[in-house]
Amino acid sequence: MATAAGAPRAVAPVVSLDFSAQGLTEVPEAVFDHADTLETLNMSNNNLSSLPESFARLSKLRVLFLSQNQFAAMPAVLGACASLSMVAFRGNGMTRIEPEALAPSLRWLILTGNRIAELPESIGSCVRLQKLMLAGNELATLPDSMAACTGLELVRLSCNRLRSLPPWLLRLPALAWLAISGNPLVEPSPAAPPLASFDWSGLRQVATLGEGASGEIVRCETPSGDAVAVKIFKGELTSDGLPDDEKRATAISGTRGVATLTHVLGTLSGHPTGRQGLVLELIPSKFVPLARPPSFESCTRDIYPSSLRLDRTVAVRLLADVADATAALHECGLVHGDLYAHNTLWDPASGHALLSDLGAATPTAGLSAEERCMVERLDVLAFGHLMAETMAMLSCSDVRSL
């Protein structure tokens, strides 16, 4: 199309393509038509099992989704994609990672729900790596080269075959969020108190309250008319671990009457699709998430409303409540593992807060005294990040009065 003056109109460069759930068995040619501009590519939920060598032409590709395909191995050609920052290969049944596949530019790697038994030593070259998702694999050890990944902040290792932790892991200087439940090293877990069972057929759905990586929260009414919140898990494995581990952790902590933790009433049974769930006390609507989860850009840091400003008294109340909740978890033999603003529900008027979502919680009963101390310190570092973010939102007058 020409402009009024007859000059051709500039066409905006294509930076994002979505080819998810299209039955693909090979990469579409349209991808390579935009090799010089493409930054985000989604080819999840297809039948792909390999990538062509020409994939290296995608010089500006930063974000790549290849989850729920049929890759037996993470392809070596990815290591030649110089700008690659985030890669997702969840649920492929993958058994290995080609050593050359790990681009040094990687910040975020998702390999949840595969059958990987060994990580290549080359992962140690990923010195920019901040977020590593490995839950639901077959790892019995981790390569010592990972000690060089000193930028790692969040690691998910739940539901593997680890019988011990390498000594360098808990000493990574930036590590603040770790999940290791469902491994032999954390057995036995604390005994969970028995919970009531709520049959799905007896609950009346009222409204969907929210949805996260592991499940959705639905407001329901019991046969007696009581309002409750029901968390329905999406599947047998979440990005943090197993629903059974979250249910056990929630039962251990949520029946102690700690005011700053969400309270559990029972478990869900009889869902028509067989999905598992938890029945929780309904939190008053005045409590809202303090922030949104991290974006592709922020990677490990939550996203706060740009207009949010906090009064000093409100900020102190919020932080005190989160600290109380974290201490209560540690006292009952759990670390949270996902202590974030997006898992903090707060009342903006008063600052009172509840710490929620124990999907990444780890029981510490099977750890040595030193390991228990060190994993608890990870929660403390995560709390330190929350404190710094909260302090950054104080009004200027409150900052000057500190």
Side-chain angles (χ1 to χ4, degrees):
M1 183 180 294
T3 64
R9 179 172 295 172
V11 178
V14 173
V15 297
S16 179
L17 288 174
D18 187 347
F19 287 102
S20 60
Q22 295 192 18
L24 301 177
T25 57
E26 59 184 28
V27 179
E29 280 301 317
V31 169
F32 302 104
D33 291 341
H34 307 286
D36 296 331
T37 61
L38 192 62
E39 297 180 8
T40 301
L41 177 59
N42 185 359
M43 296 191 294
S44 293
N45 296 290
N46 282 294
N47 299 309
L48 298 168
S49 59
S50 64
L51 297 177
E53 290 302 312
S54 55
F55 207 80
R57 291 171 49 202
L58 305 180
S59 60
K60 293 188 177 180
L61 187 65
R62 296 187 304 108
V63 178
L64 175 63
F65 294 97
L66 285 166
S67 295
Q68 307 300 331
N69 276 283
Q70 298 178 15
F71 287 89
M74 186 171 171
V77 68
L78 291 178
C81 296
S83 300
L84 205 54
S85 175
M86 187 268 196
V87 177
F89 273 95
R90 178 175 177 143
N92 273 267
M94 184 184 298
T95 58
R96 71 186 188 279
I97 302 169
E98 298 294 351
E100 300 83 9
L102 298 170
S105 55
L106 281 176
R107 297 175 63 209
W108 187 344
L109 179 59
I110 301 174
L111 297 170
T112 309
N114 285 289
R115 294 186 290 117
I116 300 167
E118 185 178 13
L119 299 178
E121 290 287 338
S122 60
I123 196 170
S125 67
C126 298
V127 294
R128 299 183 62 193
L129 197 62
Q130 295 173 255
K131 201 168 189 173
L132 181 58
M133 316 293 280
L134 292 166
N137 278 283
E138 299 178 5
L139 297 168
T141 60
L142 299 174
D144 287 340
S145 65
M146 280 182 66
C149 300
T150 54
L152 270 174
E153 297 181 89
L154 186 149
V155 178
R156 296 292 184 248
L157 288 165
S158 300
C159 309
N160 277 279
R161 299 179 178 179
L162 297 168
R163 294 189 173 277
S164 62
L165 293 176
W168 51 261
L169 178 63
L170 298 180
R171 292 184 170 86
L172 289 174
L175 187 63
W177 300 280
L178 176 68
I180 53 174
S181 65
N183 282 285
L185 71 95
V186 296
E187 299 295 344
S189 61
L195 294 175
S197 178
F198 290 76
D199 193 275
W200 178 252
S201 63
L203 298 172
R204 184 175 74 86
Q205 298 180 66
V206 177
T208 298
L209 299 176
E211 185 172 354
S214 63
E216 60 181 330
I217 308 290
V218 180
R219 177 173 177 155
C220 296
E221 286 186 359
T222 66
S224 60
D226 294 327
V228 296
V230 180
K231 179 170 184 177
I232 306 171
F233 294 104
K234 289 182 177 178
E236 295 182 359
L237 177 71
T238 74
S239 58
D240 293 329
L242 293 174
D244 277 343
D245 289 325
E246 179 173 351
K247 287 164 60 178
R248 187 158 44 246
T250 305
I252 292 167
S253 64
T255 55
R256 295 192 171 213
V258 179
T260 51
L261 291 169
T262 51
H263 297 166
V264 64
L265 302 174
T267 58
L268 181 68
S269 62
H271 192 275
T273 64
R275 292 164 69 182
Q276 300 184 62
L278 284 168
V279 180
L280 308 161
E281 277 190 7
L282 185 66
I283 297 170
S285 59
K286 65 181 179 180
F287 284 89
V288 295
L290 180 58
R292 291 184 288 111
S295 66
F296 296 143
E297 293 297 332
S298 68
C299 190
T300 59
R301 292 295 189 270
D302 280 342
I303 308 298
Y304 290 83
S306 59
S307 60
L308 183 59
R309 296 294 180 268
L310 298 179
D311 172 85
R312 180 177 58 177
T313 303
V314 168
V316 170
R317 177 72 274 160
L318 185 157
L319 291 170
D321 282 355
V322 175
D324 286 346
T326 306
L329 288 175
H330 292 181
E331 288 173 5
C332 62
L334 294 167
V335 291
H336 190 281
D338 206 21
L339 200 163
Y340 264 114
H342 70 260
N343 287 327
T344 301
L345 305 175
W346 75 306
D347 172 10
S350 66
H352 280 294
L354 301 170
L355 186 58
S356 67
D357 196 343
L358 296 182
T362 296
T364 57
L367 303 180
S368 69
E370 181 182 13
E371 288 173 332
R372 175 171 180 166
C373 178
M374 294 181 77
V375 295
E376 289 178 351
R377 285 163 62 181
L378 302 183
D379 270 356
V380 175
L381 178 56
F383 178 78
H385 291 311
L386 178 65
M387 179 183 291
E389 293 161 357
T390 302
M391 293 296 103
M393 291 180 290
L394 289 178
S395 63
C396 292
S397 59
D398 281 332
V399 171
R400 285 194 296 267
S401 65
L402 289 176

